[in-house]
Amino acid sequence: MSRPYFEDKLFEEVNGGEKLLPPGEYEGCTFIQCNLSENDLSQFHFYDCTFEHCNLSNAQLQQTLLRNCTFLHCKLLGLHFEHCNPFLFEVRFEQCVLQYSSFYQMKMKNTSFSNCNLMEVDFTEADLSNASFAGSNLALATFDQTNLQQADFRTAINYTINPSANTIKKAKFSWPGLMGLLGGMGIKVE
């Protein structure tokens, strides 16, 4: 049985409770003001898709394919991105709320988190080399055995990163942000 295929289609105000998004493959599609929270998006395939002002909070992502997908002004609370299919996983987030989400062991080189709320996000053992956290709030985010080589934290705020528990070679930090590195080592600066 073949799966439905949608290409370059616009989906507006889809509400998972009333009008479900059909399982299938979506390529070059745009989703605007869709409420897919708590929906089962397992096995869905999204290629080159854009999500704008959407709510995907607590959605199920078992083996979901996210290839070159952009999330703009989206609410993405409590998502377990580590359940996604890792093959060619590529995402970009701009002005999104990702609180309580998890990227455990995800390979996310060059990922952009621009002006996002990343409070209490789990980045344990993720590869975030060359990632950008421009203008993002990382309060209580977890970095443990995380590859942060050449990552850009210059305008990020509220992060705590232990340099001895993470790889931070050539990562970029601003002067005030250095407190987030020292705090991760138990050092207090007054």
Side-chain angles (χ1 to χ4, degrees):
M1 185 170 169
S2 67
R3 293 164 48 94
Y5 176 76
F6 304 92
E7 184 175 10
D8 299 327
K9 187 167 171 147
L10 175 64
F11 295 87
E12 288 187 275
E13 299 181 10
V14 172
N15 185 334
E18 301 165 9
K19 181 179 167 188
L20 291 175
L21 194 63
E25 297 188 24
Y26 296 82
E27 184 170 355
C29 293
T30 302
F31 302 85
I32 299 176
Q33 294 182 344
C34 295
N35 183 3
L36 304 172
S37 66
E38 299 188 23
N39 280 216
D40 189 352
L41 301 177
S42 298
Q43 306 287 333
F44 279 61
H45 296 181
F46 298 102
Y47 309 95
D48 303 315
C49 291
T50 301
F51 296 82
E52 297 179 34
H53 299 280
C54 293
N55 182 358
L56 282 79
S57 297
N58 297 312
Q60 299 300 310
L61 299 174
Q62 295 290 0
Q63 290 303 307
T64 303
L65 286 172
L66 293 173
R67 294 187 186 153
N68 193 32
C69 290
T70 301
F71 296 87
L72 306 169
H73 304 276
C74 290
K75 188 174 179 182
L76 307 162
L77 299 173
L79 292 180
H80 287 271
F81 288 96
E82 72 269 17
H83 294 163
C84 288
N85 186 320
F87 185 66
L88 298 177
F89 179 85
E90 185 181 352
V91 289
R92 183 173 73 89
F93 303 98
E94 194 171 306
Q95 296 186 9
C96 291
V97 178
L98 286 137
Q99 287 179 262
Y100 315 112
S101 291
S102 175
F103 293 96
Y104 176 70
Q105 292 185 332
M106 294 298 296
K107 293 187 184 336
M108 303 176 60
K109 293 180 180 182
N110 303 307
T111 299
S112 174
F113 297 92
S114 177
N115 299 302
C116 292
N117 181 339
L118 299 167
M119 292 176 61
E120 298 192 50
V121 171
D122 185 0
F123 292 111
T124 300
E125 297 181 25
D127 182 352
L128 291 162
S129 53
N130 291 302
S132 172
F133 295 92
S136 293
N137 182 358
L138 289 152
L140 302 174
T142 302
F143 295 96
D144 186 20
Q145 303 305 313
T146 307
N147 182 352
L148 299 169
Q149 290 184 80
Q150 298 183 355
D152 190 346
F153 290 91
R154 290 178 291 183
T155 57
I157 60 170
N158 298 324
Y159 55 83
T160 302
I161 300 169
N162 184 338
S164 64
N166 297 282
T167 306
I168 61 169
K169 186 175 182 180
K170 295 188 179 179
K172 300 171 191 85
F173 299 94
S174 64
W175 176 251
L178 290 177
M179 298 304 147
L181 293 177
L182 298 174
M185 298 176 70
I187 297 171
K188 296 200 185 267
V189 177
E190 295 181 10

